[in-house]
Amino acid sequence: MNEKIAIIGAGLVGSLQAIYLAKRGYDVEVYERRPDLRKAELLAGKSINLALSDRGWKALDGVGIGDEIREMAIPMNGRMMHDKDGNLTYQAYGKEGQAIYSVSRGGLNQRLMNIAEPYENIDYFFDLKCKDVNLKSNEITFQHTQTKEKTTKKFDRIFGTDGAFSAVRTRLQKTNRFNYSQFYLEHGYKELTIPANEDGSHKIDKNCLHIWPRGEFMLIALANLDGSFTCTLFFPFEGKVSFESIKTDSDVIDFFSEYFPDVMDLMPNLTEDYFENPTSSLVTVRCAPWHYSDKVVLMGDASHAIVPFYGQGMNSGFEDCTVFNQLMEKHGNNWDEIFKEFSRDRIKDGNAIADLALRNFIEMRDLTADPMFLLQKKIERKISDKHPDKWTPLYSQVTFSHEPYSEALANGERQDSIMKQVMDRHDIFDVWDSDEIENEILRLL
Ligand code: FAD
């Protein structure tokens, strides 16, 4: 009899992993606690769009579905920084032709389900919440979210792709020597919208990720296919200028007029959106190991939930699918080896991207408005253009390469210490483009 595999969570990673496993001939059942996203109106006020980049594309191309997803993606070639006076500064993300891509999270999830469901050996079950996993018998107890009826089913393998608050992980937390930590930022986020022009066109450049960096907080905007932009305000929960301090329509107007004046005209529904859309928190989850014997494994946010500031949460989850598939290639049906090696080797990369994402918050909200930072990026770009074999900017290592995140982090730290020495020169603004600076960097390398 064929192995029976349960995937808990029909999110982005669960649906992609189902396709990977089905292609290898396994019988896959995907269980989702929510109703079918394709039928229900679940997306109101939660129209998150995500930046999809090379690691994600590789995983999608790995099962031949990249092109179908490209149809729904908008390339963003660089960041557009908006200062308080409405002045714009553009910074390319990578080399000519390199881009990250804006995709709707809900739209992508639906598309993945539509691709997965026709497989004869994939079955989706909705409204069924995983309540517990019996690690001895490998049985899962589900509860129907409407009828509250409980059922139990046995599987050969269980994949926990049930997101940052994973029920599967919660079960593993009760096993011996399981490490777990969660860390909440003092900032939360709220989605706002820039609607399309009447003719359906975008109000601002759709091929940029727009950032309004303001030190302690920031606003970003990513384009949607329908001409609108989903904006996200990352803002402290508490304090003088915070979610807590904004209570009325006029507080919202005053705040936006002071800090984001150029956005005011673009958001006719600002106050409604502000009060109707939820304020959500941002958590980093780390745990180890990511498996339990050869029975249960965690992937995606369930094992490494990260803050969104490097645009790598989904990309890293998709890369889990690539890495896992390579291990299946290597070890065949030896699940014990696959799970062990996945857990042992991949955790350091999960931790590295968690660290990088936390650091990038400071870079995005603060440094993108800093002339020293912009100069540093300019120097790095010059060195990388002239000596691509010697210097790849950290952002490119993370976003446009498949180098393990842990190695990108280590390289980035080495490069940063070199750049600190160079940027410490009092005359750096005058000499940044000189041979002297270039040679100094090459010497320090
Ligand atoms: P999820 O997408 O959370 O899916 C988990 C699924 O499991 C859900 O469908 C849930 O309903 C289901 N589930 C949960 N519990 C149970 C249960 N007990 N039983 C059954 N089903 C269950 N990533 C990027 O790569 N780029 C970005 O630009 C980016 N931007 C982001 C911006 C914001 C504001 C946020 C919050 C996240 C962003 N991310 C980004 C991260 C990205 O959204 C996540 O990393 C990604 O969705 C994780 O996919 P997943 O499948 O692991 O988990």
Side-chain angles (χ1 to χ4, degrees):
M1 200 188 75
N2 209 351
E3 290 224 8
K4 217 179 182 58
I5 293 182
I7 293 189
I8 308 301
L12 301 173
V13 175
S15 292
L16 182 59
Q17 182 62 9
I19 300 170
Y20 266 97
L21 291 168
K23 277 195 175 286
R24 290 188 169 272
Y26 294 106
D27 285 338
V28 184
E29 294 189 354
V30 188
Y31 290 87
E32 170 58 48
R33 72 168 176 199
R34 295 182 301 184
D36 188 343
L37 193 61
R38 294 162 297 178
K39 296 179 191 144
E41 278 299 313
L42 289 174
L43 299 173
K46 272 266 175 193
S47 59
I48 295 184
N49 43 22
L50 309 171
L52 179 51
S53 50
D54 284 28
R55 293 171 200 263
W57 288 120
K58 181 176 176 181
L60 295 166
D61 287 329
V63 281
I65 62 174
D67 286 342
E68 215 171 311
I69 306 301
R70 280 183 188 90
E71 288 167 9
M72 56 189 291
I74 301 175
M76 299 180 288
N77 303 93
R79 322 160 142 152
M80 185 69 86
M81 272 89 69
H82 298 241
D83 76 10
K84 263 172 114 175
D85 299 323
N87 300 312
L88 303 180
T89 312
Y90 176 78
Q91 202 181 54
Y93 274 128
K95 295 195 165 70
E96 183 78 28
Q98 283 181 322
I100 60 175
Y101 291 78
S102 174
V103 288
S104 141
R105 175 154 91 170
L108 176 59
N109 206 157
Q110 293 183 28
R111 188 71 68 99
L112 289 173
M113 286 179 183
N114 284 338
I115 295 170
E117 207 164 38
Y119 278 80
E120 261 180 23
N121 51 343
I122 300 182
D123 286 313
Y124 273 91
F125 299 89
F126 295 97
D127 301 302
L128 282 179
K129 181 173 182 175
C130 166
K131 293 295 283 183
D132 200 9
V133 180
N134 183 328
L135 295 173
K136 281 209 176 79
S137 63
N138 240 29
E139 287 172 321
I140 303 179
T141 302
F142 296 101
Q143 183 170 41
H144 196 280
T145 51
Q146 270 119 55
T147 62
K148 305 294 172 210
E149 189 191 337
K150 282 193 176 170
T151 45
T152 298
K153 255 182 143 175
K154 190 174 170 69
F155 297 91
D156 296 298
R157 255 27 81 187
I158 297 168
F159 285 72
T161 55
D162 48 345
F165 305 100
S166 164
V168 181
R169 188 191 63 230
T170 303
R171 184 64 195 84
L172 297 193
Q173 278 170 237
K174 293 175 195 150
T175 59
N176 193 23
R177 296 175 61 224
F178 187 88
N179 290 314
Y180 171 72
S181 75
Q182 69 178 35
F183 168 75
Y184 281 96
L185 278 194
E186 287 172 2
H187 292 68
Y189 70 93
K190 188 182 281 291
E191 314 268 41
L192 301 165
T193 307
I194 298 177
N197 287 319
E198 268 177 25
D199 63 359
S201 58
H202 292 85
K203 283 192 166 42
I204 48 178
D205 188 343
K206 68 172 177 178
N207 297 120
C208 302
L209 194 154
H210 295 266
I211 310 179
W212 290 258
R214 297 293 181 265
E216 260 306 295
F217 50 88
M218 68 172 177
L219 182 72
I220 66 167
L222 280 78
N224 296 309
L225 289 174
D226 66 1
S228 67
F229 278 82
T230 301
C231 308
T232 313
L233 174 66
F234 295 98
F235 202 33
F237 278 107
E238 289 157 18
K240 204 160 165 250
V241 189
S242 67
F243 283 123
E244 183 190 57
S245 74
I246 293 186
K247 297 196 173 78
T248 62
D249 284 7
S250 65
D251 290 343
V252 176
I253 304 284
D254 290 349
F255 169 65
F256 272 78
S257 312
E258 177 167 359
Y259 292 101
F260 309 112
D262 60 334
V263 189
M264 292 287 292
D265 290 344
L266 307 175
M267 288 184 177
N269 304 322
L270 173 61
T271 50
E272 290 88 336
D273 281 358
Y274 188 92
F275 289 110
E276 276 167 22
N277 292 347
T279 305
S280 307
S281 52
L282 293 163
V283 70
T284 300
V285 169
R286 299 172 205 249
C287 66
W290 288 358
H291 74 302
Y292 180 82
S293 89
D294 63 348
K295 302 292 183 208
V296 181
V297 68
L298 303 173
M299 291 173 107
D301 277 15
S303 46
H304 50 90
I306 62 175
V307 291
F309 306 111
Y310 231 117
Q312 286 294 318
M314 163 191 61
N315 287 293
S316 62
F318 281 178
E319 192 176 60
D320 288 349
C321 300
T322 307
V323 171
F324 197 89
N325 192 50
Q326 286 162 352
L327 292 173
M328 294 185 84
E329 206 63 66
K330 182 172 165 191
H331 297 297
N333 282 343
N334 188 341
W335 292 101
D336 192 40
E337 279 302 316
I338 297 169
F339 281 21
K340 242 194 246 158
E341 200 168 319
F342 179 69
S343 192
R344 188 190 64 214
D345 291 353
R346 183 82 182 138
I347 285 177
K348 59 181 182 313
D349 294 318
N351 286 333
I353 191 58
D355 290 340
L356 285 162
L358 285 163
R359 287 182 204 178
N360 218 42
F361 185 28
I362 299 174
E363 177 166 324
M364 275 180 94
R365 68 175 210 225
D366 218 349
L367 301 179
T368 47
D370 174 357
M372 280 298 266
F373 171 80
L374 294 174
L375 180 65
Q376 179 175 331
K377 293 286 144 190
K378 215 150 91 180
I379 300 171
E380 288 186 47
R381 171 81 45 227
K382 178 186 157 186
I383 300 295
S384 135
D385 285 346
K386 285 185 84 170
H387 307 279
D389 52 325
K390 296 202 171 81
W391 190 286
T392 307
L394 176 59
Y395 186 86
S396 297
Q397 293 177 56
V398 172
T399 309
F400 303 122
S401 92
H402 303 289
E403 183 183 335
Y405 289 122
S406 50
E407 287 174 24
L409 175 64
N411 284 339
E413 281 173 350
R414 200 164 55 93
Q415 290 178 346
D416 220 35
S417 76
I418 292 173
M419 287 312 293
K420 270 205 181 79
Q421 296 178 52
V422 173
M423 298 307 290
D424 269 351
R425 285 183 60 138
H426 69 280
D427 57 351
I428 189 66
F429 274 91
D430 303 322
V431 295
W432 73 269
D433 204 13
S434 64
D435 289 349
E436 188 194 346
I437 291 296
E438 183 178 336
N439 291 334
E440 173 72 358
I441 292 173
L442 295 178
R443 187 186 63 77
L444 289 168
L445 264 172

